[in-house]
Amino acid sequence: MVRLRTARLTARARLTLLQTALVLAAGAALTGLTYLLMRRNTFFTRLDRSGTGPSGTPPPMPTAVDLQGFADRVQTATLSALLPQAVLALIVVTALAAVLGWLVAGRVLRPIRVISSTARRLSAENLAERVPVTAPADELSALAGTVNGMLDRIQRGVFERDRILDSQRLFTANAAHELRTPLTTARTAIDVTLDGNPSRAELLAMAGDVRGAVEHMQRVLDGLLLLARSQAGLTARETVDLAAVADAALNAAGTRAAAAGVAVRRELRPAPVTGEPVLLERMIGNLVDNAVRYNRAGGHLVVDTGTAGGRAVLRISNTGRQIPPDEAETLLEPFVHGEGTRVRTDGLGLGLSIVRAVTLAHRGRIAVAARTGGGLDITVDFPQNPVTKDARSQDHRFASGNSPSVK
């Protein structure tokens, strides 16, 4: 049994058929109404008796029956001539309406075809093209603007996805490298020591090397866990004064700063925020530790807290080595210590990544500037209103960048 498949008409064809059907219906109604009015109309005739018959006498006066029959014949002949002519005119008008409807439909649907063709050309690798928005501002131009806005959001989403994936791949590779180094150190110490008959002193030295490698791995894992925790959002929200937290961090780092010959100046004014105390303490502790660790002998460290424009502000300025201005953003990445590469130091390279993650979790902003004479100027600010949602994806950095890693 052959199944009949319904032909799929295009929007242009359906619009043309609709317009043609409307014209046909209107013409048929007009023709029918004209025909009915003609049938109901009374036909009047005028009797002309000016002529004469064959004998020279006037023609006889027709009777009423004769006049009525004559009027009926005139009406029938008129209606018979009207109907085919009206049908012919209706066919011509309908055909003309179909042609004009096809052209008008194509004109009206042209922007939609442009949108469709543009969408077909787009792909994940090519999102730069946009639909032209034509004048005047009607529904189709609004549709084109909506499509362009959607493409802008998709392009930003794809860019952000690629950035995150690249960052995750780099982070995974660097984390694996950081963990492999102490493992290699421990295994080498064990293999070298156990190759023969080690003495007690050699065994103790091996144990010390293994202990140091284990402690290094523990610090890396602790940093990774804290980084993951801060990126997962806030679990506790309390009122925290950044001035008090900064004062405690400076007191804890005071001995190391004095040993390194770093002069510390405090300008601490109240700066209350709502957030998770543990994360905020770790963030400020990392910044202070970073400023002391990478300072220079005889240098200085300035910590300033306060409020401005409804935001709590923390500013840390320190002297140190000369840092190129374009390195600022790379220093925010995990395991990056400076010069855009992974440099082996006594730090892990996770400190400033944790600082950025904690800042974003609290809907804050972080700005880093390389000082002219060396060192960094780091500013972090937070909204003083309570944090109501996880803002991990809202990177509001007003001048992206950061300093060398902390721990």
Side-chain angles (χ1 to χ4, degrees):
M1 180 178 181
V2 179
R3 298 178 61 183
L4 297 178
R5 298 179 61 183
T6 304
R8 295 183 179 180
L9 299 177
T10 62
R12 184 178 186 181
R14 291 197 300 270
L15 187 58
T16 301
L17 289 178
L18 178 61
Q19 292 175 344
T20 304
L22 291 177
V23 172
L24 179 60
L30 180 61
T31 301
L33 181 62
T34 302
Y35 185 82
L36 291 177
L37 292 177
M38 290 291 292
R39 290 196 61 180
R40 294 171 58 89
N41 192 22
T42 302
F43 284 80
F44 295 93
T45 59
R46 184 173 66 86
L47 182 62
D48 186 6
R49 302 189 61 192
S50 59
T52 57
S55 58
T57 60
M61 185 70 178
T63 64
V65 175
D66 295 334
L67 291 176
Q68 183 62 41
F70 178 73
D72 292 340
R73 289 193 298 273
V74 171
Q75 185 181 30
T76 301
T78 302
L79 294 176
S80 299
L82 172 65
L83 189 59
Q85 294 178 8
V87 171
L88 179 61
L90 180 60
I91 293 174
V92 173
V93 171
T94 302
L96 183 61
V99 174
L100 293 178
W102 178 264
L103 297 177
V104 171
R107 178 76 176 180
V108 172
L109 297 176
R110 183 181 301 170
I112 298 180
R113 291 199 302 272
V114 173
I115 295 175
S116 178
S117 61
T118 302
R120 281 195 300 269
R121 290 193 298 269
L122 295 175
S123 64
E125 292 75 21
N126 176 29
L127 292 173
E129 189 173 0
R130 293 295 180 267
V131 178
V133 180
T134 58
D138 54 9
E139 290 82 356
L140 293 177
S141 62
L143 175 62
T146 301
V147 172
N148 288 338
M150 179 187 66
L151 293 176
D152 291 338
R153 293 190 295 272
I154 293 175
Q155 188 175 27
R156 288 194 298 268
V158 170
F159 175 79
E160 184 66 16
R161 180 206 64 183
D162 294 340
R163 187 188 66 81
I164 292 175
L165 289 178
D166 291 341
S167 177
Q168 288 178 346
R169 283 192 290 266
L170 179 62
F171 177 82
T172 303
N174 289 334
H177 183 86
E178 285 289 333
L179 293 174
R180 184 176 61 184
T181 299
L183 287 174
T184 303
T185 301
R187 179 165 183 171
T188 301
I190 294 173
D191 291 341
V192 170
T193 303
L194 297 181
D195 186 14
N197 297 316
S199 63
R200 176 179 175 82
E202 291 175 335
L203 290 175
L204 291 177
M206 177 196 72
D209 292 339
V210 173
R211 181 186 180 91
V214 171
E215 290 177 348
H216 181 80
M217 287 188 291
Q218 185 176 4
R219 292 197 304 271
V220 172
L221 291 176
D222 289 343
L224 292 176
L225 289 175
L226 184 61
L227 180 61
R229 177 184 172 186
S230 58
Q231 289 177 338
L234 305 182
T235 57
R237 295 181 175 89
E238 301 178 12
T239 301
V240 180
D241 189 356
L242 298 182
V245 177
D247 186 62
L250 289 173
N251 291 335
T255 302
R256 290 188 292 111
V262 176
V264 178
R265 187 170 80 248
R266 314 178 189 206
E267 298 177 2
L268 305 178
R269 294 175 294 276
V273 297
T274 301
E276 189 164 347
V278 174
L279 294 181
L280 291 173
E281 290 171 4
R282 184 61 180 269
M283 180 201 73
I284 296 178
N286 284 358
L287 287 172
V288 171
D289 183 76
N290 181 84
V292 173
R293 183 189 301 272
Y294 295 97
N295 216 309
R296 58 176 173 81
H300 68 267
L301 165 62
V302 180
V303 180
D304 180 11
T305 62
T307 58
R311 301 180 73 89
V313 181
L314 167 69
R315 181 171 179 263
I316 295 182
S317 177
N318 65 280
T319 53
R321 72 175 181 87
Q322 190 73 35
I323 298 176
D326 56 355
E327 270 193 19
E329 187 155 359
T330 62
L331 295 173
L332 290 172
E333 300 300 328
F335 304 109
V336 176
H337 298 267
E339 300 177 2
T341 59
R342 299 175 65 257
V343 179
R344 292 302 305 168
T345 67
D346 56 345
L348 299 177
L350 287 173
L352 293 181
S353 299
I354 294 173
V355 169
R356 181 176 66 172
V358 173
T359 302
L360 297 182
H362 289 80
R363 301 178 64 188
R365 304 180 298 193
I366 181 169
V368 178
R371 292 167 50 88
T372 304
L376 292 170
D377 191 352
I378 304 176
T379 303
V380 182
D381 68 71
F382 303 95
Q384 292 184 277
N385 295 328
V387 178
T388 57
K389 65 178 180 178
D390 179 9
R392 287 171 292 163
S393 61
Q394 299 181 11
D395 188 347
H396 297 297
R397 286 174 289 164
F398 49 88
S400 62
N402 220 322
S403 69
S405 62
V406 181
K407 293 184 179 180

